Amino acid sequence: MHFLRPVSKNVLLDFKYLMPQSCFYSSQPLLLVTEQNGVRDIIMNDQKTRYLAVDKEGRPKLDEIFSTCSDLMLSILRHPVPILAIISGVAAAAGCQLVATCDLAIATTASKFSTPGARHGIFCSTPAVALTRKVPLGVVRSMTITGIPISAQDAYNAGLITRVVSSNEELESETKVLTSAILENSRSVLTLGKQFLYQQMSLNIEEAYR
């Protein structure tokens, strides 16, 4: 999965610093980071981190992983520029949480989204935090209780993702369309607007309008 964000030279937060090597078990680089034409492309690179087998490490390692995950999700919400999730494949558990947290998300028709924790002895409670703020509660209940994946089209219908395309080539071209449109907008306006969008969600309607 890719997640991208338009950047400027005075905004240099890099998500690799929020994902310490100690949380994972691979000699491969966890992230591949490139930047071109004002857009930083961050590719989650390590297939082995799809499943975190940390039973032998105990509760402290689990606490570290979940704390790091929460820090990452909150940093996306608080970051002043839009962040896009680009999915071609499976986004499961925390991967599904990441998609729900990003500002926009594009996926191919072959992509699937799931929160299968209950099938593995740990309910997907933290992914549900992001999901319940993005999609109808009935969808979240179905995903978390059954663990059955939903298709990209179902994810789009539920509001989890904002675009569905048919191929990886179309995924790339659609990503360029969205990032180009974002880069044409005022950075300060987008920063203020993103902050407003998330802050007003917790307010009653009178406070939000005020």
Side-chain angles (χ1 to χ4, degrees), residues 4-129:
L4 301 94
R5 60 187 183 87
V7 298
S8 71
K9 293 189 183 220
N10 61 338
V11 179
L12 296 175
L13 172 67
D14 195 325
F15 290 116
K16 67 184 177 183
Y17 297 119
L18 299 175
M19 304 178 70
Q21 293 281 346
S22 60
C23 288
F24 304 99
Y25 301 88
S26 173
S27 59
Q28 299 297 318
L30 301 181
L31 301 173
L32 303 177
V33 181
T34 59
E35 188 173 327
Q36 185 176 8
N37 299 327
V39 175
R40 181 169 297 162
D41 190 345
I42 304 172
I43 303 174
M44 300 176 70
N45 182 53
D46 189 357
Q47 294 294 319
K48 292 181 181 180
T49 62
R50 185 170 297 178
Y51 303 102
L52 298 171
V54 294
D55 292 344
K56 295 180 181 179
E57 299 289 338
R59 179 61 181 266
K61 180 58 66 174
L62 286 172
D63 287 345
E64 181 185 357
I65 290 171
F66 282 109
S67 177
T68 301
C69 182
S70 295
D71 288 344
L72 173 61
M73 303 304 165
L74 290 172
S75 72
I76 291 173
L77 293 176
R78 294 167 179 164
H79 206 270
V81 297
I83 300 176
L84 287 65
I86 314 300
I87 309 100
S88 178
V90 177
C96 193
Q97 179 184 1
L98 179 61
V99 173
T101 303
C102 288
D103 301 306
L104 299 172
I106 315 170
T108 64
T109 52
S111 299
K112 294 185 181 299
F113 304 83
S114 70
T115 49
R119 295 186 173 192
H120 303 282
I122 180 169
F123 195 82
C124 280
S125 300
T126 49
V129 171

Side-chain angles (χ1 to χ4, degrees), residues 27 43 53 60 100 107 119 123-124 126 134 139 164 181 183 185-186 188 202 208:
S27 59
I43 303 174
R119 295 186 173 192
F123 195 82
C124 280
T126 49
K134 199 68 167 283
V139 176
V164 181
L183 289 168
N185 297 328
S186 163
S188 59
S202 63

Side-chain angles (χ1 to χ4, degrees), residues 107-110 164-171:
T108 64
T109 52
V164 181
V165 296
S166 59
S167 65
N168 286 337
E169 291 75 18
E170 193 175 347
L171 186 67

